[in-house]
mmCIF file of all heavy atoms in Angstrom:
data_model
loop_
_atom_site.group_PDB
_atom_site.id
_atom_site.type_symbol
_atom_site.label_atom_id
_atom_site.label_comp_id
_atom_site.label_asym_id
_atom_site.label_seq_id
_atom_site.Cartn_x
_atom_site.Cartn_y
_atom_site.Cartn_z
ATOM 1 N N LEU A 155 7.194 -15.994 -24.356
ATOM 2 C CA LEU A 155 7.728 -16.701 -23.099
ATOM 3 C C LEU A 155 9.165 -16.972 -23.235
ATOM 4 O O LEU A 155 9.596 -17.535 -24.129
ATOM 5 C CB LEU A 155 6.996 -17.836 -22.756
ATOM 6 C CG LEU A 155 5.364 -17.637 -22.501
ATOM 7 C CD1 LEU A 155 4.712 -18.930 -22.245
ATOM 8 C CD2 LEU A 155 5.282 -16.730 -21.292
ATOM 9 N N LEU A 156 9.982 -16.524 -22.308
ATOM 10 C CA LEU A 156 11.402 -16.991 -22.268
ATOM 11 C C LEU A 156 11.596 -17.918 -21.064
ATOM 12 O O LEU A 156 11.745 -17.650 -20.008
ATOM 13 C CB LEU A 156 12.337 -15.691 -21.955
ATOM 14 C CG LEU A 156 12.179 -14.594 -23.039
ATOM 15 C CD1 LEU A 156 13.166 -13.482 -22.455
ATOM 16 C CD2 LEU A 156 12.744 -15.076 -24.338
ATOM 17 N N LEU A 157 11.555 -19.276 -21.551
ATOM 18 C CA LEU A 157 11.605 -20.266 -20.584
ATOM 19 C C LEU A 157 12.961 -20.878 -20.479
ATOM 20 O O LEU A 157 13.346 -21.132 -19.285
ATOM 21 C CB LEU A 157 10.598 -21.422 -20.906
ATOM 22 C CG LEU A 157 9.072 -20.885 -21.094
ATOM 23 C CD1 LEU A 157 8.227 -22.060 -21.500
ATOM 24 C CD2 LEU A 157 8.610 -20.220 -19.845
ATOM 25 N N ASP A 158 13.662 -21.245 -21.475
ATOM 26 C CA ASP A 158 14.916 -21.932 -21.437
ATOM 27 C C ASP A 158 15.900 -21.130 -22.253
ATOM 28 O O ASP A 158 15.684 -20.041 -22.888
ATOM 29 C CB ASP A 158 14.771 -23.482 -21.901
ATOM 30 C CG ASP A 158 14.249 -23.493 -23.179
ATOM 31 O OD1 ASP A 158 14.167 -22.499 -23.916
ATOM 32 O OD2 ASP A 158 13.615 -24.503 -23.607
ATOM 33 N N LEU A 159 17.063 -21.620 -22.315
ATOM 34 C CA LEU A 159 18.251 -20.927 -22.928
ATOM 35 C C LEU A 159 17.859 -20.884 -24.367
ATOM 36 O O LEU A 159 18.397 -19.989 -25.143
ATOM 37 C CB LEU A 159 19.596 -21.621 -22.720
ATOM 38 C CG LEU A 159 20.115 -21.479 -21.231
ATOM 39 C CD1 LEU A 159 21.526 -22.105 -21.148
ATOM 40 C CD2 LEU A 159 20.071 -20.057 -20.778
ATOM 41 N N GLY A 160 17.163 -21.895 -24.968
ATOM 42 C CA GLY A 160 16.912 -21.859 -26.442
ATOM 43 C C GLY A 160 15.807 -20.693 -26.778
ATOM 44 O O GLY A 160 16.176 -20.063 -27.731
ATOM 45 N N ASP A 161 15.132 -20.333 -25.819
ATOM 46 C CA ASP A 161 14.247 -19.231 -25.991
ATOM 47 C C ASP A 161 15.019 -17.939 -26.143
ATOM 48 O O ASP A 161 14.731 -16.983 -26.960
ATOM 49 C CB ASP A 161 13.195 -19.170 -25.007
ATOM 50 C CG ASP A 161 12.112 -20.272 -25.074
ATOM 51 O OD1 ASP A 161 11.806 -20.720 -26.080
ATOM 52 O OD2 ASP A 161 11.699 -20.730 -23.919
ATOM 53 N N LEU A 162 16.063 -17.763 -25.134
ATOM 54 C CA LEU A 162 16.765 -16.531 -25.061
ATOM 55 C C LEU A 162 17.693 -16.513 -26.380
ATOM 56 O O LEU A 162 17.825 -15.427 -26.807
ATOM 57 C CB LEU A 162 17.664 -16.509 -23.799
ATOM 58 C CG LEU A 162 18.343 -15.253 -23.493
ATOM 59 C CD1 LEU A 162 17.398 -14.061 -23.551
ATOM 60 C CD2 LEU A 162 19.102 -15.410 -22.198
ATOM 61 N N GLN A 163 18.319 -17.554 -26.724
ATOM 62 C CA GLN A 163 19.072 -17.410 -27.943
ATOM 63 C C GLN A 163 18.117 -17.172 -29.204
ATOM 64 O O GLN A 163 18.724 -16.276 -30.057
ATOM 65 C CB GLN A 163 19.609 -18.974 -28.202
ATOM 66 C CG GLN A 163 20.844 -19.299 -27.365
ATOM 67 C CD GLN A 163 22.205 -18.552 -27.811
ATOM 68 O OE1 GLN A 163 22.119 -17.516 -28.481
ATOM 69 N NE2 GLN A 163 23.208 -19.234 -27.356
ATOM 70 N N ALA A 164 16.949 -17.661 -29.286
ATOM 71 C CA ALA A 164 16.215 -17.288 -30.481
ATOM 72 C C ALA A 164 15.716 -15.796 -30.385
ATOM 73 O O ALA A 164 15.704 -15.062 -31.443
ATOM 74 C CB ALA A 164 14.881 -18.111 -30.312
ATOM 75 N N MET A 165 15.488 -15.398 -29.075
ATOM 76 C CA MET A 165 15.182 -13.887 -28.934
ATOM 77 C C MET A 165 16.501 -13.031 -29.337
ATOM 78 O O MET A 165 16.141 -11.893 -29.981
ATOM 79 C CB MET A 165 14.835 -13.696 -27.498
ATOM 80 C CG MET A 165 14.119 -12.373 -27.075
ATOM 81 S SD MET A 165 12.645 -12.056 -27.832
ATOM 82 C CE MET A 165 12.796 -10.859 -29.111
ATOM 83 N N LEU A 166 17.542 -13.447 -28.857
ATOM 84 C CA LEU A 166 18.757 -12.542 -29.246
ATOM 85 C C LEU A 166 19.033 -12.587 -30.810
ATOM 86 O O LEU A 166 19.377 -11.663 -31.370
ATOM 87 C CB LEU A 166 19.944 -13.074 -28.498
ATOM 88 C CG LEU A 166 19.924 -12.887 -27.002
ATOM 89 C CD1 LEU A 166 21.104 -13.680 -26.258
ATOM 90 C CD2 LEU A 166 20.153 -11.373 -26.621
ATOM 91 N N ALA A 167 18.861 -13.775 -31.463
ATOM 92 C CA ALA A 167 18.929 -13.857 -32.888
ATOM 93 C C ALA A 167 17.983 -12.890 -33.518
ATOM 94 O O ALA A 167 18.270 -12.163 -34.487
ATOM 95 C CB ALA A 167 18.767 -15.228 -33.329
ATOM 96 N N TYR A 168 16.779 -12.757 -33.075
ATOM 97 C CA TYR A 168 15.720 -11.819 -33.564
ATOM 98 C C TYR A 168 16.270 -10.363 -33.253
ATOM 99 O O TYR A 168 16.036 -9.589 -34.297
ATOM 100 C CB TYR A 168 14.495 -12.164 -32.883
ATOM 101 C CG TYR A 168 13.329 -11.189 -33.288
ATOM 102 C CD1 TYR A 168 12.536 -11.538 -34.455
ATOM 103 C CD2 TYR A 168 13.058 -10.049 -32.603
ATOM 104 C CE1 TYR A 168 11.644 -10.617 -34.815
ATOM 105 C CE2 TYR A 168 12.052 -9.169 -33.175
ATOM 106 C CZ TYR A 168 11.324 -9.454 -34.284
ATOM 107 O OH TYR A 168 10.414 -8.567 -34.604
ATOM 108 N N CYS A 169 16.771 -10.174 -32.249
ATOM 109 C CA CYS A 169 17.260 -8.723 -31.892
ATOM 110 C C CYS A 169 18.370 -8.342 -32.841
ATOM 111 O O CYS A 169 18.429 -7.279 -33.394
ATOM 112 C CB CYS A 169 17.726 -8.682 -30.504
ATOM 113 S SG CYS A 169 16.489 -8.810 -29.207
ATOM 114 N N ALA A 170 19.276 -9.218 -33.149
ATOM 115 C CA ALA A 170 20.327 -9.098 -34.230
ATOM 116 C C ALA A 170 19.803 -8.738 -35.478
ATOM 117 O O ALA A 170 20.223 -7.792 -36.178
ATOM 118 C CB ALA A 170 21.300 -10.223 -34.136
ATOM 119 N N GLU A 171 18.754 -9.505 -35.914
ATOM 120 C CA GLU A 171 18.255 -9.368 -37.256
ATOM 121 C C GLU A 171 17.385 -8.075 -37.376
ATOM 122 O O GLU A 171 17.294 -7.453 -38.503
ATOM 123 C CB GLU A 171 17.248 -10.579 -37.547
ATOM 124 C CG GLU A 171 18.089 -11.894 -37.777
ATOM 125 C CD GLU A 171 17.126 -13.027 -37.819
ATOM 126 O OE1 GLU A 171 15.839 -12.905 -37.887
ATOM 127 O OE2 GLU A 171 17.585 -14.207 -37.854
#
Side-chain angles (χ1 to χ4, degrees):
L155 296 177
L156 298 178
L157 303 180
D158 53 29
L159 294 185
D161 291 325
L162 187 54
Q163 283 283 21
M165 190 70 247
L166 289 168
Y168 179 87
C169 289
E171 294 170 1

